[in-house]
Amino acid sequence: MRLLPVVVFCAVLSVCYGYRILGVFPFNGKSHFVMFERLMKVLAKRGHQVDVISTFPLKEPYPNYTDLIVLPTARDFMNNLTYEEVMTKFRTSIPAAVATMAGNVVCEHLNHPEIQKFIRNPPNDPPYDLIIMEVFGAHCYAILGDILKVPVIGVSTCVLYPWISDYIANPENLAFEPTNLLSYPQKMNFWQRLHNVVNNIYAKYEFNSITSEQTAMLRKYVNPDAPDVRELEKKVSMILVNSHVSINGIKDSNPAFIEIGGLHVTEEGVKLPPSLEKWMNESTHGFIYFSFGSMVKIESFPAGHIEIFYNAMKKIAPVRVLMKIAKSEELPPNLPKNVLTLPWIPQIKVLKHPNVKAFITHGGLMGTQEAIHFGVPLVGIPLFADQFINIKNYVRHNIAVALHIDTLNQEDLDHALNVVLHDPKYRNAARKLSRRFLDRPLSAEETAVYWVEYIARHGANVLRSPAMDLTWWQLYLVDVYVFLLVAALAVTYLIATLVQFVFYVAYTGSTVPRKKKVS
C-alpha cells in the first residue's frame, strides 16, 4: 500500500508536465486517420492532453484523448466505393485529386460553426503547446498555428509528394530519387531521370495552382489579412513521414524529415472474434487473406472478375481464403467452399497468424506495411493512386507478384497464387524485409514521441533549414556557377591575350604594334 501514493504522484506529475496538443485531421480518409489516431493515442498514453479535429470520433473513450470537433462528411467512403467509381473517378491526376478532394474541398470546413468558434475564441486554459496536422492537400489549417502562436508539426501517411518537400526544404535529388508519382527504380536511365524532373516540376505547378484558392478561403473565413497559404506551408516545423529506408530506399534528407513508417501497426484495441480465431487455427494447410482495403467493395466488381477470383480460389484448396466482403449477399452465387467472407476483419491479427500464407491486396500503403511487418508475401492488384507505385516497389523487393486489373485473366491469377504459395523466395524475402523494417534504434512510436516532444521543448524553428531563407538560384548555386563561368571566361580571355602578345613580341622583337602604312 505504501507504493500507491508514489504511483498516484507519478501519474499526476506526468499529466501536469504533459503538453496540450491539437491534432487537425479534417480529410475524410479512414486509411489516413488510422495512422493519426495511433499517433495521438501514443502521445495521450505518454501523459499529454490531445484534442482532435477530425471526421472520425473514437468509438470508445481513451484517457487524455478528446474529440474536440467532429466535422461532417459529404459521403461515407467506408465499404462504399464501387469498381465503376474506381475506374472512372479515381484514376485522375494525383496532384489535381489531392488538391481538390483532399484540399480545397476540405478547406471549406473552415466555415464550420465549431471551427469558427475555435478560431474566434480558442481554448487557453491551459493553452496549446503545438499543433499536429496532416500535410496532404488542405494546408489552409496551418493558420491555426498563427492563431494559437504555437509550432505546427506535419504528418504524412505516405512518402512525401513533390510539393511537400519544399515546406521544410527537404533536398530532392531527382537523379536517384523518383517522385512518389512515378514507379521508377532508384537506378534510372537518362529518359527516366528526364521524366522524373519534368514530372516533379509539373506536379508542383499543378498542385500549387489549384490550391492557391485556399488563400482566398483563409481571407474569407479567418481574417482579411491572413497570410498566403504558401507562407503558412513554410512555417511547418517538422514532418513525420510514413516511410522507412528499408522499403523506400536511400534519400537525401534534413533533420526535419522524420521517418516513422509502420507507426499504425498495433494490436491495441484489436479484438479477434473466437469464431475467426478457430477458423484460422483449423486452416492447417494455410490460408490466403484477400482484402482491397477499407473503401473498395470487391462485391461490386464485374461478374467476369468475380468468376476469375472464384476459379482461382477453388483451385488452391485445401488452402483456404479469408475475404473482406462488406455485403456478401451482393456476391454472385457459387462461392467456393474453401472461402470465408466477413464484413469486418481484424487485419493485424490475421496477418500475424502463423497459418497465413499470402495477402491479396490492392496495394494500399497501410495494409502492405502491416504485411511487411509480419513478413507476409503479396499478390498485388493495384486500383488507383499510389497503389501502382507501391506494388512495383514490392516486386523489386521480391515480396510481391503484380497483376493488372484492366487485363486480369485466369492464367495470370492462377500463376500468381501458385508461385506466392509454393516458391519460397517470396516468403523468405518478405521475412528478410520484415527484419530490416523493424530493426531500428527506436520504434516508430518512440521516434514519433521523441521528436514531437523535442519541438515542444525547443521551439518551432529548432530544425528549420537555412535553405528556407535562400532563393532557388542561391540554393542551387546558380549565382556561384555563373560567377565561376564568367571568371573562367575572363581568365581564359586574359591568358589568350597574353599568349598572343608574347608570340607577337617573339616574332617582331617589338612590344609596340607597327602602324599600317596609309597608301
Side-chain angles (χ1 to χ4, degrees), residues 353-374:
H353 198 278
N355 287 342
V356 67
K357 297 296 183 183
F359 180 17
I360 303 176
T361 172
H362 63 326
L365 185 59
M366 298 298 179
T368 52
Q369 282 183 340
E370 291 166 8
I372 290 169
H373 183 105
F374 295 110

Side-chain angles (χ1 to χ4, degrees), residues 321-336:
V321 179
L322 175 62
M323 289 184 73
K324 178 189 170 292
I325 301 292
K327 297 180 179 179
S328 58
E329 66 273 13
E330 295 182 7
L331 281 174
N334 302 318
L335 181 73

Side-chain angles (χ1 to χ4, degrees), residues 410-423:
Q410 195 68 61
E411 183 180 358
D412 288 345
L413 182 55
D414 290 347
H415 174 74
L417 292 180
N418 182 61
V419 296
V420 82
L421 284 173
H422 302 296
D423 188 339

Side-chain angles (χ1 to χ4, degrees), residues 2-13:
R2 292 180 180 178
L3 288 176
L4 183 59
V6 177
V7 173
V8 172
F9 174 76
C10 290
V12 172
L13 194 65

Side-chain angles (χ1 to χ4, degrees), residues 37-38 67 80 89 117 124 129 224 377 381 441 470 487 495:
E37 181 182 318
R38 182 60 189 160
D67 286 304
N80 200 24
K89 298 180 181 179
K117 180 180 177 181
N124 56 10
D129 296 288
I381 310 177
L470 300 177
I495 292 174

